[in-house]
Amino acid sequence: MSRLVELEGEGPRKLEPDDIDPEKGDVAICQCGLSEGFPFCDGSHRKTDGEEDGVRYTYEEDGTRRRVERIVHGGE
Ligand code: FES
């Protein structure tokens, strides 16, 4: 399982002490690429439940999950 994710950032994001969750005392970094508060985990990874091994997915803004059958790159 993997996902195609579009990100607009062009550089690193420095974490600040205020980024630490005061209740949990930690910072959770999103590794699924679906968080609306990227780079922080917001629980959106739950949408990936049921993804199959060896399949690539993309997610629409409304949360609809689609299988990616093949990727075509444009030529120059
Ligand atoms: S790991 Fe991506 S939202 Fe939690």
Side-chain angles (χ1 to χ4, degrees):
M1 67 188 140
S2 64
R3 258 148 263 113
L4 295 178
V5 176
E6 292 182 26
L7 299 174
E8 294 181 359
E10 296 176 338
R13 162 115 190 243
K14 183 178 178 183
L15 299 180
E16 303 292 342
D18 289 349
D19 292 324
I20 295 174
D21 185 324
E23 292 181 16
K24 295 181 181 175
D26 64 8
V27 175
I29 302 299
C30 174
Q31 294 196 90
C32 74
L34 300 177
S35 174
E36 293 189 21
F38 198 84
F40 305 109
C41 172
D42 68 357
S44 294
H45 56 265
R46 293 183 188 97
K47 297 176 187 172
T48 67
D49 287 351
E51 287 186 348
E52 298 174 35
D53 287 341
V55 177
R56 184 170 292 142
Y57 298 93
T58 187
Y59 287 78
E60 305 293 330
E61 286 188 25
D62 66 1
T64 302
R65 177 168 54 198
R66 298 187 191 287
R67 294 170 74 111
V68 175
E69 300 302 331
R70 73 184 183 132
I71 299 171
V72 177
H73 298 275
E76 291 185 21

